[in-house]
Amino acid sequence: MISRTLFLSAMAVTCHAFVAPLNTADSSSATALSAEKSRQRIVNRRIVFGTPATILVSGCLSVATAAPVYADVTNKVASTAALRAVKKGIKDLENAEFPAVNNEYADVKAALRTPALNEVRKNCLILIKGGEDGPEAENLKTNYNAFVKALEALDTQASLGMRGRKEIVLASYYDAAVKSLRDVLEVGERSATIPLQDVPE
């Protein structure tokens, strides 16, 4: 009986000696595998989203290197070229004086379609944009609207004269167009010399 008991005890110790290391190895392998998976997930996340430090540094760099955009600066620069173009438009319009005074309708129509006069409205709008935050903003708009109205009236009257409408006199319409465009130029030049407005912080 004692021998049987001793035998069973010895077997239990032997089994424990073999089983315990096995369980320890399995546990270590599982822990290592779990740690590897966790590490891989972190690596993958950093690849996709970036580490907090990387994100922070990237964000700081992007903020530091982003160029501020000030539309008024761009428009002020563009206004200089627009002023020159408007002056050229006035010169071309002045060349239409002789046919306008003599009611030469076809010649007036042709004179109103030079490259400078074709672009004059666009350049006037650039002046308006460049001075929109200044004290001359409303004057620019008012004078521009007057010019457009006068120019269209002159062109319409010339068209009517070409169609045979009697007693179409162009001189007054021509004078109004020239005066209003000169007014746009005058106000535009004043507006262009006004310093840029400070951007609110």
Side-chain angles (χ1 to χ4, degrees):
M1 185 70 175
I2 293 173
S3 299
R4 180 179 176 81
T5 303
L6 290 173
F7 175 76
L8 290 175
S9 298
M11 288 295 293
V13 170
T14 303
C15 290
H16 178 73
F18 284 100
V19 171
L22 249 150
N23 289 340
T24 302
D26 289 345
S27 176
S28 298
S29 298
T31 302
L33 182 60
S34 176
E36 176 63 22
K37 288 182 178 179
S38 297
R39 188 188 69 79
Q40 190 61 46
R41 281 198 300 270
I42 292 172
V43 170
N44 292 339
R45 179 176 176 81
R46 287 177 178 176
I47 291 173
V48 175
F49 299 104
T51 62
T54 303
I55 293 171
L56 180 60
V57 171
S58 299
C60 290
L61 286 175
S62 63
V63 171
T65 57
V69 178
Y70 300 113
D72 55 344
V73 175
T74 302
N75 292 325
K76 282 288 188 182
V77 172
S79 293
T80 302
L83 285 170
R84 291 195 298 266
V86 172
K87 288 178 182 178
K88 181 65 170 64
I90 291 175
K91 185 176 180 180
D92 285 1
L93 191 55
E94 289 172 344
N95 290 336
E97 181 178 10
F98 182 82
V101 170
N102 290 281
N103 296 320
E104 296 174 358
Y105 309 121
D107 289 344
V108 170
K109 293 279 289 185
L112 297 182
R113 283 157 178 78
T114 65
L117 285 174
N118 283 336
E119 297 289 321
V120 74
R121 294 192 189 191
K122 180 187 76 173
N123 287 299
C124 287
L125 290 174
I126 291 173
L127 295 178
I128 291 172
K129 189 71 175 174
E132 64 184 355
D133 60 346
E136 297 286 359
E138 288 305 316
N139 288 336
L140 271 171
K141 292 177 183 177
T142 299
N143 290 332
Y144 171 72
N145 291 334
F147 164 67
V148 170
K149 183 177 179 180
L151 189 68
E152 290 180 348
L154 174 60
D155 189 59
T156 298
Q157 293 300 311
S159 295
L160 293 174
M162 288 178 65
R163 293 172 190 165
R165 180 78 64 87
K166 302 298 182 181
E167 298 179 358
I168 297 294
V169 179
L170 299 180
S172 61
Y173 296 98
Y174 168 80
D175 290 340
V178 173
K179 180 183 181 305
S180 57
L181 186 54
R182 285 174 178 164
D183 289 342
V184 172
L185 177 64
E186 180 184 345
V187 179
E189 287 178 329
R190 288 204 305 268
S191 179
T193 61
I194 297 172
L196 293 174
Q197 302 298 307
D198 292 332
V199 178
E201 296 182 357

